[in-house]
Amino acid sequence: MTSNFNIRAKVLLQPLVLFQIIDAYERRPKDAKQVMGTILGRNNGKNGHIEITNCFTVLHKEQPDIGRIDLDIAYATDILELNMLTCPQERVLGWFSTGKSVSRSATVLHEYYTRECGEGQPLHLLVDATLKTQRLLPRLYCAVEIGVPGGTKGLMFSMLPLEMTSGNSEMVALRLMEKQSLHPATKQVGRILPELVQVVEGTKDMQQRLDLVLRYINDVLARKRKPDNLVGRALHDALSSVPVVDSENFRLMFNANLRDMLMAITLSMMIKTQLQISEKLSSMHDH
């Protein structure tokens, strides 16, 4: 048995993992009440952060009456080897399962994933995929040894803090889904906007946020609002992180990046048109 997990460690969760779990739950067999699988990710030893970035389902057969679960070990091993070829930086972090509470088979799964994780202690990600509360609240657990020294020992699954994180590409998809959810009556699924439109919308959003910050600062200077130390420190950190660039150099840099983006858009449109023409010509030759 490995040492207990450092409860102070920071665990980050990518939204792609939740989408994969929900998709697996919706595609589960009719007689299956839950799905489970392996969670993968990276362990950043420098800052102590653990990031859950990927997962895959594992075929299983559960017998809840006796707390037994049979896993398809060969299938899990093959999928893990394929994943290591595409993402060699990821390693096994533990397992996920759907449900409202930790199942009786969690102890058995903990023993299996202890061997799979190697030196690290496995984590257990629990997701209630029924969405009856209209909210997706993932919970993360780790096993802690309990019992009398020299006597009978057991495991208690203790909850760990979990934070959601996402990169720029994930934020584009999440914002699109958020806009789509604000108009549920619209049956047509929204498309990803072109890069130039995203730049315009991002600029408008930044302008609105700057107006909000300026309004707050002016209200504080005019003594219409009580200053907040936390907000002041956050503004100071944000302004300090921005490099000092004069307006002319910023304009030249922005225009250069904009030209590069327009060139990429033009080339992609040309390639798309060429592929469409090739498909039509090939279909004509077939006839």
Side-chain angles (χ1 to χ4, degrees):
M1 178 69 68
T2 57
S3 59
N4 286 337
F5 186 83
N6 184 8
I7 299 181
R8 292 177 297 179
K10 188 175 183 180
V11 183
L12 306 176
L13 177 63
Q14 290 281 353
L16 176 63
V17 178
L18 296 179
F19 290 131
Q20 289 175 313
I21 295 175
I22 294 297
D23 180 70
Y25 182 79
E26 293 295 329
R27 298 172 184 269
R28 72 189 187 281
K30 293 183 179 180
D31 57 344
K33 296 182 180 180
Q34 67 169 0
V35 294
M36 61 148 297
T38 303
I39 55 176
L40 307 168
R42 298 183 293 267
N43 189 352
N44 194 339
K46 296 181 180 180
N47 50 23
H49 292 179
I50 297 177
E51 187 174 2
I52 303 174
T53 58
N54 199 359
C55 69
F56 62 86
T57 57
V58 177
L59 303 178
H60 69 285
K61 184 177 181 182
E62 188 174 6
Q63 302 178 18
D65 298 336
I66 59 177
R68 177 180 174 181
I69 184 169
D70 299 325
L71 301 177
D72 192 342
I73 304 298
Y75 173 82
T77 303
D78 292 340
I79 296 298
L80 180 60
E81 291 178 354
L82 292 174
N83 187 85
M84 293 300 293
L85 293 176
T86 56
C87 303
Q89 73 279 6
E90 294 181 345
R91 67 177 185 86
V92 178
L93 297 180
W95 80 99
F96 74 86
S97 63
T98 57
K100 296 182 179 180
S101 59
V102 179
S103 62
R104 295 176 57 184
S105 59
T107 303
V108 180
L109 293 171
H110 176 79
E111 295 178 358
Y112 167 72
Y113 279 99
T114 298
R115 299 189 295 269
E116 293 294 318
C117 291
E119 298 180 357
Q121 186 174 357
L123 302 174
H124 176 30
L125 179 64
L126 183 65
V127 180
D128 185 8
T130 58
L131 298 179
K132 292 183 178 180
T133 60
Q134 301 299 321
R135 292 180 64 87
L136 188 63
L137 299 176
R139 289 169 290 174
L140 188 68
Y141 294 89
C142 72
V144 180
E145 285 187 348
I146 58 174
V148 180
T152 304
K153 294 184 179 180
L155 293 177
M156 179 183 69
F157 286 88
S158 177
M159 188 178 298
L160 296 175
L162 183 65
E163 295 184 15
M164 297 294 299
T165 182
S166 58
N168 294 330
S169 57
E170 289 86 359
M171 287 302 301
V172 173
L174 291 174
R175 287 173 180 172
L176 177 64
M177 295 176 63
E178 182 181 7
K179 290 181 179 179
Q180 193 70 23
S181 64
L182 297 177
H183 304 283
T186 305
K187 295 183 179 180
Q188 184 179 3
V189 179
R191 298 184 298 107
I192 299 294
L193 298 177
E195 288 83 353
L196 187 59
V197 179
Q198 293 182 21
V199 171
V200 174
E201 289 197 351
T203 305
K204 292 181 180 179
D205 182 67
M206 184 182 298
Q207 183 64 43
Q208 293 178 356
R209 294 175 184 270
L210 289 175
D211 292 340
L212 182 63
V213 172
L214 289 175
R215 192 180 307 116
Y216 171 80
I217 295 175
N218 292 330
D219 290 343
V220 171
L221 294 177
R223 300 184 182 277
K224 296 180 180 180
R225 179 180 297 185
K226 186 177 180 180
D228 190 339
N229 293 333
L230 294 177
V231 177
R233 293 192 188 96
L235 291 175
H236 178 269
D237 294 339
L239 293 176
S240 301
S241 62
V242 178
V244 180
V245 181
D246 58 88
S247 59
E248 183 63 22
N249 289 333
F250 179 79
R251 184 182 65 83
L252 294 175
M253 180 179 63
F254 181 81
N255 290 335
N257 292 332
L258 187 61
R259 285 194 297 268
D260 294 340
M261 186 183 65
L262 292 175
M263 179 63 68
I265 294 174
T266 303
L267 292 175
S268 64
M269 293 296 296
M270 292 175 62
I271 295 173
K272 183 178 179 181
T273 304
Q274 184 178 3
L275 291 175
Q276 291 176 350
I277 295 175
S278 300
E279 290 179 358
K280 292 182 178 180
L281 291 176
S282 61
S283 63
M284 292 174 62
H285 291 312
D286 294 338
H287 293 294

